[in-house]
Amino acid sequence: MIGTLLIVSGPSGSGKTTLCRRAEAAGLTCYSISCTTRPPRPGEQDGIDYHFLTPETFAAKVQAGEFLEYATVHGNSYGTLKADIEKLLLAGKNVVMDIDVQGAASIRACTDDIIRKAYADVYIHVPAAELEARLRGRRTDAEEVIQLRLHNAAMEDARRGEYQFALVSADKESDYTRFTALLSTLGMRTCLA
Ligand code: 5GP
């Protein structure tokens, strides 16, 4: 029995990282740690939040074919290491991946048998006014970064129809309840046997 690979997308401020991390802390899933070239935010740790790489190291991994997918998001490179994901799925672990719409599209197109069987995706949607309030409330980003994220959110939202599931964000508890219900249902798919 292989694990479920659940791709979770949604704009910054949708709470998708919190959902993924909370499910991991509850022992329901493993969290896929992405590589990125963006600098760490205050409190973020290398190897826990991301593998923080230089642009040169990231490019070398692209060349070596180590990424299941990679994309440029908000001007920085992000990618997921293929070997890490496959190892976990084959060990029967559920994996959640917090990635953008481009990354989700490339994994959806992946022909690898294990990835195809394990694959599922959900888009976390937040109404625009609520999203802006959340981004301003977290006080980690400069105004131009907030504007860029709002612009990108509108573009990402336009692609939510590509996803199998959509979770319209309400409050944290309700979001988490629905998220774990989805994970549990996905684990019952006969294709995982
Ligand atoms: P942040 O810099 O705020 O942590 O993440 C910015 C965006 O990059 C988010 O939409 C997040 O889902 C996306 N992201 C994080 N890791 C990956 C990855 O490995 N691949 C792709 N394609 N996007 C990622």
Side-chain angles (χ1 to χ4, degrees), residues 20 32 54 63 65 72 80-81 101-102 104 120 122 160 165 173 176 187-188:
C20 294
S32 157
T54 61
Q63 279 299 314
T72 303
T80 311
L81 296 170
V101 290
Q102 306 167 75
V122 59
R160 69 178 187 270
F165 299 92
E173 286 312 311
Y176 184 66
M188 297 178 206

Side-chain angles (χ1 to χ4, degrees), residues 32-183:
S32 157
I33 301 170
S34 297
C35 300
T36 183
T37 60
R38 85 149 161 78
R41 294 197 186 108
E44 285 186 332
Q45 292 178 50
D46 186 41
I48 293 178
D49 297 287
Y50 280 102
H51 300 294
F52 293 101
L53 305 181
T54 61
E56 293 73 23
T57 309
F58 194 97
K61 289 189 183 299
V62 170
Q63 279 299 314
E66 289 183 41
F67 288 118
L68 175 60
E69 62 75 36
Y70 62 94
T72 303
V73 187
H74 312 316
N76 291 300
S77 300
Y78 293 82
T80 311
L81 296 170
K82 187 174 182 188
D84 289 1
I85 304 292
E86 288 194 341
K87 202 163 88 186
L88 290 167
L89 293 175
L90 287 169
K93 309 269 189 207
N94 296 324
V95 180
V96 287
M97 285 178 65
D98 165 0
I99 62 173
D100 83 313
V101 290
Q102 306 167 75
S106 29
I107 299 180
R108 225 174 268 134
C110 176
T111 54
D112 182 293
D113 195 42
I114 302 294
I115 303 289
R116 287 184 72 84
K117 279 186 178 158
Y119 187 89
D121 57 26
V122 59
Y123 188 85
I124 315 292
H125 174 61
V126 193
E130 166 69 13
L131 182 67
E132 182 164 357
R134 287 189 196 180
L135 286 177
R136 293 197 183 285
R138 70 184 189 185
R139 296 171 195 279
T140 50
D141 297 316
E143 180 60 27
E144 65 263 30
V145 175
I146 291 175
Q147 289 304 329
L148 179 64
R149 286 176 189 267
L150 286 172
H151 174 74
N152 287 346
M155 294 201 306
E156 286 178 340
D157 275 0
R159 294 181 62 175
R160 69 178 187 270
E162 295 173 19
Y163 288 73
Q164 297 164 339
F165 299 92
L167 192 159
V168 180
S169 179
D171 62 84
K172 279 186 180 161
E173 286 312 311
S174 147
D175 290 1
Y176 184 66
T177 301
R178 285 175 292 148
F179 186 70
T180 52
L182 175 61
L183 267 172

